[in-house]
Amino acid sequence: MSRPATPILGAAFAVALAGMIGTIAPVSGQTQAAKPVPPKPAARWVMPRTPDGKPDLQGNWTNETQTPLERMGAGGTTLTDEQARAIEQRAQLVEEYRDKASDPNRPAPPKGGEAGKLAAPGEQSFIERISEAAGGAVGGYNGFWLDPGKNVIRIDGVARSSIIIDPPNGRVPGLTDEGKKRMAEIAARSRKYGEFDHPEMRPLADRCLLSFGSNAGPPMLPNYFYNNNYTIVQTADNIVIMAEMVHDTRIIRMNAKAHMSARNQPWLGDSIGHWEGDTLVVETTNIHPMQREQTSILWAYRGASENLKVTERFTRTGPDTIVYRFTMEDPAIFTAPFTGELPFTKIDEMVYEYACHEGNYAMTNILAGERSKEREAAAQKKQQ
């Protein structure tokens, strides 16, 4: 609010008066400027809670990211701002390149495809290499369908170079002698038959049994393709986590006293949860053997044994973030436990049904195509 104008008392008197009261009195015909009102402090975020007082983790979330499970190269645990920006700018460039309109006058591609011709110009990221490996020289998915995310992981504002944070090199620990033996057995078994000889030789994702990677977990990891989304539903007795990819669904039994019998080894294992303060802690054992035998870079099992234990921690740190941390322990297979960490980000989008081949008719086509090739090869052999 302004004050009334001060009467004219002479310049000298006005200056002296200003010195006594610590302010300069306004001269005739002017008003004193109002003091600025300080901005109100931002409202402090308050943890939402369920009726039983536990942190509310419910809603739709995503863990999509450009950050790999294991560190690429020999860098440190974190990225500089410049390194993080370069990765994210490359992801944006790739998305724009894939979304370009096709040339309706382009000639047909050569038989067998063109290796490397489907990539955006410049050095490929590890996600681009994964996508190209999946489709080969003929391509897999039209880029429109790919949605791996464009950002690197940031925890407390610091960009991370890998999901794995321990060991410090950011990589899955080495295998024990038993672990190396199991990996060799898995590889030998896969070589015994052709990869298209029967349905059981196809990957779990081709068979619509589990995700393209460890989306539902445990641990719950991004697949670097699409559908890295989740719905969490929470009660005092159970917490349900549904992964959009292949609509895999985990049921976490809260405060159960013991795991089920070792004879029972369901997909996604047997998960028991409890609260440690405001952190949900989930321990999972009894993971299905075919799940543990997954050895690709999209999985962290590497042929883990029936003794594998995965411990997960979910901590809500803000209105839009859950920090997810996991530790894997299997002394029979790995030379040391290892731990990873990544954020789950709130999304205001729907999570849709994943139909997976619309009844898995594609499996018939995959196997029928291979039988056709075999007949052609046999016919050519007879003509020789």
Side-chain angles (χ1 to χ4, degrees):
M1 180 181 294
S2 61
R3 296 180 182 178
T6 302
I8 299 176
L9 298 174
F13 182 80
V15 171
L17 180 61
M20 288 189 291
I21 63 175
T23 60
I24 299 179
V27 298
S28 178
Q30 294 181 337
T31 59
Q32 186 177 8
K35 294 181 179 179
V37 178
K40 293 182 179 180
R44 179 175 173 271
W45 177 72
V46 177
M47 175 80 75
R49 297 187 181 273
T50 58
D52 61 344
K54 303 303 182 184
D56 192 343
L57 307 179
Q58 297 182 102
N60 293 345
W61 307 84
T62 184
N63 65 354
E64 63 181 22
T65 183
Q66 286 282 315
T67 303
L69 172 64
E70 298 186 78
R71 188 166 307 142
M72 313 296 287
T77 58
T78 61
L79 300 172
T80 65
D81 290 341
E82 183 179 9
Q83 290 171 323
R85 279 196 301 271
I87 293 171
E88 292 169 346
Q89 287 170 357
R90 174 67 186 181
Q92 181 65 39
L93 182 150
V94 168
E95 182 176 279
E96 293 172 356
Y97 180 85
R98 287 173 169 168
D99 286 347
K100 288 194 306 182
S102 299
D103 179 4
N105 299 313
R106 69 192 185 283
K111 184 177 180 178
E114 297 178 281
K117 296 294 186 179
L118 304 174
E123 184 177 355
Q124 290 183 303
S125 68
F126 91 100
I127 290 181
E128 292 174 79
R129 294 196 292 271
I130 290 173
S131 300
E132 189 170 86
V138 296
Y141 292 89
N142 182 293
F144 171 83
W145 300 105
L146 299 180
D147 186 25
K150 295 194 287 292
N151 297 323
V152 300
I153 288 172
R154 286 179 172 81
I155 304 290
D156 295 329
V158 179
R160 296 279 180 85
S161 58
S162 62
I163 291 174
I164 293 177
I165 58 175
D166 183 49
N169 66 1
R171 301 192 64 79
V172 173
L175 300 178
T176 63
D177 290 342
E178 177 64 22
K180 294 174 184 176
K181 180 182 176 183
R182 286 177 63 87
M183 287 287 281
E185 290 172 348
I186 293 169
R189 194 162 60 245
S190 67
R191 290 193 299 268
K192 186 177 180 179
Y193 302 99
E195 61 176 323
F196 302 104
D197 277 1
H198 55 81
E200 287 76 11
M201 294 305 297
R202 300 307 304 148
L204 299 181
D206 270 12
R207 298 168 64 189
C208 295
L209 294 175
L210 289 180
S211 167
F212 298 174
S214 191
N215 270 108
M220 301 194 306
L221 302 174
N223 62 47
Y224 304 109
F225 281 89
Y226 51 73
N227 289 6
N228 294 289
N229 304 323
Y230 303 82
T231 296
I232 299 179
V233 179
Q234 184 177 343
T235 72
D237 298 321
N238 297 285
I239 295 178
V240 177
I241 304 177
M242 188 196 75
E244 185 172 31
M245 180 65 88
V246 195
H247 50 262
D248 294 330
T249 302
R250 294 176 62 192
I251 298 177
I252 299 167
R253 298 184 292 133
M254 296 301 295
N255 304 310
K257 301 302 182 184
H259 285 286
M260 61 177 62
S261 167
R263 295 191 301 271
N264 299 319
Q265 300 180 53
W267 296 114
L268 315 179
D270 177 36
S271 297
I272 292 177
H274 68 275
W275 292 95
E276 293 182 2
D278 284 343
T279 295
L280 171 65
V281 181
V282 180
E283 180 183 282
T284 302
T285 61
N286 300 49
I287 297 172
H288 195 289
M290 289 177 63
Q291 187 172 342
R292 290 185 278 104
E293 288 180 358
Q294 300 307 300
T295 60
S296 82
I297 59 174
L298 296 180
W299 299 83
Y301 297 128
R302 314 296 159 88
S305 76
E306 65 275 10
N307 298 316
L308 172 67
K309 181 176 74 172
V310 183
T311 304
E312 303 162 283
R313 290 176 167 81
F314 301 75
T315 306
R316 190 161 184 180
T317 58
D320 301 317
T321 307
I322 294 173
V323 172
Y324 171 73
R325 178 180 286 219
F326 65 88
T327 298
M328 300 184 67
E329 301 173 79
D330 188 349
I333 303 301
F334 300 109
T335 55
F338 58 100
T339 297
E341 186 177 59
L342 66 158
F344 278 53
T345 304
K346 189 98 169 178
I347 55 174
D348 294 323
E349 299 177 22
M350 298 289 289
V351 172
Y352 292 94
E353 176 193 6
Y354 188 86
C356 194
H357 295 185
E358 295 292 348
N360 207 0
Y361 304 129
M363 180 62 73
T364 302
N365 297 334
I366 290 170
L367 300 181
E370 187 66 11
R371 302 295 81 78
S372 176
K373 286 178 60 178
E374 291 170 351
R375 288 192 295 270
E376 290 177 5
Q380 290 176 0
K381 189 174 181 178
K382 286 182 178 181
Q383 295 173 358
Q384 294 175 352

